[in-house]
Amino acid sequence: MRTTHIALAVLVTAVWGVNFVVIEVGLGHFPPLLFSALRFLAAALPAVFLVGRPKVAWKWVIGVGLVLGVAKFGLLFVGMDQGMPAGLSSLVLQIQAVFTALFAAVALGERPGRVRLLGMAVALAGIAVAAVDEGTSGPLLAFTLVIAAAACWGVSNVLTRKASPPDALNFMVWVSAVPVLPLLGLSLLFEGPDADLAALRALDGTGIAVILYVAWVTTVFGFGAWGFLLRRYPASSVAPFSLLVPVFGMSSAALLLSESISPLRWCAAALLVGGVALTSLSRAGGPTTQAPTGPVPAERLPPPPPLPRAPPPAPDTGPLTPDP
């Protein structure tokens, strides 16, 4: 990878890591479901009018929008609102790589190899250590909600792979438009119109900046830049940079929110990041992919065989006579 593109990949992971601190700040201004709805509203508008129509079937846009936007981010925001620390959230969410591998094995027939199975086991051990640490110092329900958010992220990853969007930014913008109304409805139902109206009336510069960061910086810029890198380089070259997200998440939470990192949490981080690395970077044992049934693009066809040389001209022996 070029140096500028390596710097871009690191910048994106830093943006995503710091995002957990920004979410923590935003939860002090908005109820969690309303905050998530406003985040997706800002990410979708006015971008949906600029990126063109979706380039995949609507079923994939709606499916990913509901699973990723409503379920994953709704559970994450509620879990953090219930007391899950920002730095630990950035770490625990990485278990989505294990859920993705498991769901891909069921839905896509991708059989995990031995290295990937080892990575899953190591990552799960890291989650167990983190659960022990959180169980002694924080609410275990909030921890469970973030684990559920990671599982939903794994489902959305499999749906996204099935959709195979040719334009990551276009897809993400349209996906962001789907959860707005469901999240607003859930917020009115569970958080109440009074709490929502009070948060909107108290909207200040910090609240606006938080929404713009989680919407435009982490979503539009982050996913757009990540999609650009994935189009330029193999996924195996880009994916390892995502392991920097919990590094930036935990360090920024320690610096900006004064979150302490216990020895157990460091141990959990080492196990989880190492396990996710093995799970994400190893190849599946035997993916069962079907051969394409449509026409093969011309640029992927093998070159035609060379034409045979014309035989040398026969010597001039006079007029030919028919065989007797």
Side-chain angles (χ1 to χ4, degrees):
M1 294 178 64
R2 293 172 55 184
T3 304
T4 53
H5 292 160
I6 292 175
L8 178 62
V10 174
L11 175 62
V12 171
T13 58
V15 163
W16 286 344
V18 175
N19 184 51
F20 290 88
V21 173
V22 177
I23 292 173
E24 188 74 30
V25 174
L27 289 172
H29 290 72
F30 308 99
L33 295 176
L34 175 65
F35 183 21
S36 189
L38 294 175
R39 171 253 178 93
F40 284 111
L41 178 64
L45 296 177
V48 289
F49 300 109
L50 305 176
V51 298
R53 292 179 58 82
K55 295 178 172 57
V56 298
W58 278 105
K59 64 179 181 180
W60 301 120
V61 174
I62 295 173
V64 174
L66 292 176
V67 176
L68 181 69
V70 178
K72 183 254 181 174
F73 279 102
L75 290 168
L76 172 64
F77 280 32
V78 172
M80 293 182 64
D81 185 64
Q82 292 296 311
M84 184 69 168
L88 185 60
S89 297
S90 70
L91 174 66
V92 169
L93 268 184
Q94 298 308 309
I95 199 65
Q96 58 84 18
V98 173
F99 284 117
T100 300
L102 292 174
F103 297 147
V106 175
L108 305 179
E110 296 182 358
R111 298 187 300 274
R114 294 180 180 178
V115 176
R116 182 166 291 184
L117 289 173
L118 175 62
M120 293 181 191
V122 173
L124 290 174
I127 288 296
V129 173
V132 171
D133 179 61
E134 185 64 12
T136 58
S137 61
L140 197 56
L141 174 61
F143 184 90
T144 305
L145 289 174
V146 176
I147 292 290
C152 292
W153 194 359
V155 174
S156 72
N157 286 339
V158 173
L159 293 177
T160 301
R161 289 179 62 179
K162 293 282 285 185
S164 298
D167 186 336
L169 178 60
N170 171 280
F171 183 67
M172 195 62 208
V173 166
W174 280 104
V175 162
S176 297
V178 173
V180 176
L181 291 180
L183 283 169
L184 284 175
L186 290 172
S187 178
L188 291 172
L189 180 62
F190 291 103
E191 296 165 347
D194 293 339
D196 290 351
L197 288 174
L200 293 175
R201 289 192 184 117
L203 185 64
D204 56 10
T206 302
I208 293 174
V210 163
I211 292 174
L212 293 181
Y213 184 92
V214 298
W216 289 4
V217 179
T218 66
T219 303
V220 177
F221 165 74
F223 281 98
W226 200 254
F228 164 79
L229 293 172
L230 288 173
R231 287 193 298 272
R232 293 288 298 267
Y233 301 99
S236 59
S237 299
V238 179
F241 287 96
S242 65
L243 298 176
L244 294 175
V245 173
V247 175
F248 286 113
M250 295 180 71
S251 59
S252 61
L255 291 173
L256 301 176
L257 301 178
S258 299
E259 287 187 5
S260 61
I261 305 177
S262 65
L264 271 180
R265 194 164 297 179
W266 279 118
C267 179
L271 289 171
L272 187 54
V273 170
V276 168
L278 289 173
T279 303
S280 302
L281 304 183
S282 62
R283 298 192 177 195
T288 56
T289 55
Q290 296 180 349
T293 56
V296 180
E299 63 271 15
R300 294 178 58 186
L301 290 172
L307 294 174
R309 286 187 172 185
D316 189 6
T317 57
L320 294 177
T321 57
D323 290 338

